[in-house]
Amino acid sequence: MSIERVGYARLIERFALPALPLSMISEIDTSIRARGRTHLGTHEAQRFPPAYLPEDTPRGDLQFALRYEGLNLEVLALMFAKRGSQDLEHWTGAASESVYGRRLAFLYEWLTGESLPFEVSSKASYVPVVDRTIQFGLTTGVRNSRFRVIDNLPGNRKFCPLVRRSVMTH
């Protein structure tokens, strides 16, 4: 049996980010065949089978985190402050249509106030910044035509409380 942390947890470890402890940690577990969750007292482990293992790069972990863990603005802000935009450069080419790249580029500019050389095809569909299946976000938002995202963040750069949706069990 082998367990490997991925997503925000691996980014925190890899770059020694001084983030608060995560309430949700994602792990790849070679002993399981289906996704599951385990409560570990102060946090929860979201376990995935090996097929979900992202590439062992910042891009792989960022994409995994956005897809399965939602937004962690603290970790993103710390990473952007430490590494700048270098982890976004592969997504910033002409006519980029990656949903994750567009969200990250928007968040980079939103969190840092710095501009990126980023072009998005006008044919790309608008996508919400907050995935409302994972976290609570505004039901409507402001369309950002530059990144083709809908800013449905429930706050501003100085205060933006993000709450994770959970499954209630009886």
Side-chain angles (χ1 to χ4, degrees):
M1 178 174 92
S2 171
I3 295 177
E4 181 176 350
R5 288 188 172 177
V6 293
Y8 291 122
R10 186 157 65 179
L11 290 168
I12 289 169
E13 290 171 6
R14 174 177 282 151
F15 301 116
L17 301 175
L20 293 172
L22 299 172
S23 61
M24 168 80 68
I25 295 172
S26 292
E27 300 172 327
I28 303 298
D29 185 341
T30 59
S31 69
I32 63 172
R33 295 181 187 259
R35 290 172 57 174
R37 291 184 179 191
T38 305
H39 294 278
L40 302 170
T42 60
H43 67 280
E44 188 174 1
Q46 188 171 223
R47 297 239 163 100
F48 296 85
Y52 287 82
L53 181 65
E55 61 184 57
D56 189 9
T57 63
R59 175 186 177 170
D61 284 312
L62 285 166
Q63 189 167 322
F64 182 94
L66 290 182
R67 185 170 187 182
Y68 299 110
E69 298 176 292
L71 296 179
N72 185 318
L73 297 176
E74 177 196 21
V75 173
L76 291 174
L78 289 168
M79 188 166 163
F80 295 155
K82 186 167 195 167
R83 297 184 49 82
S85 64
Q86 68 184 14
D87 298 312
L88 305 179
E89 289 172 3
H90 58 279
W91 275 314
T92 58
S96 177
E97 293 190 32
S98 164
V99 170
Y100 304 108
R102 290 187 284 140
R103 285 179 179 155
L104 284 168
F106 171 82
L107 289 166
Y108 179 86
E109 288 191 358
W110 189 77
L111 288 166
T112 67
E114 298 173 15
S115 292
L116 290 171
F118 198 90
E119 293 179 38
V120 177
S121 167
S122 61
K123 295 179 182 182
S125 300
Y126 278 88
V127 294
V129 174
V130 178
D131 181 342
R132 293 187 60 238
T133 63
I134 299 174
Q135 294 168 302
F136 290 95
L138 301 177
T139 55
T140 61
V142 177
R143 287 181 179 252
N144 178 297
S145 60
R146 179 154 185 251
F147 296 107
R148 309 281 295 176
V149 297
I150 301 168
D151 178 359
N152 63 338
L153 289 160
N156 58 42
R157 188 180 347 197
K158 296 192 184 292
F159 182 72
C160 188
L162 289 168
V163 177
R164 184 172 187 80
R165 292 183 181 270
S166 63
V167 179
M168 299 298 289
T169 58
H170 299 285

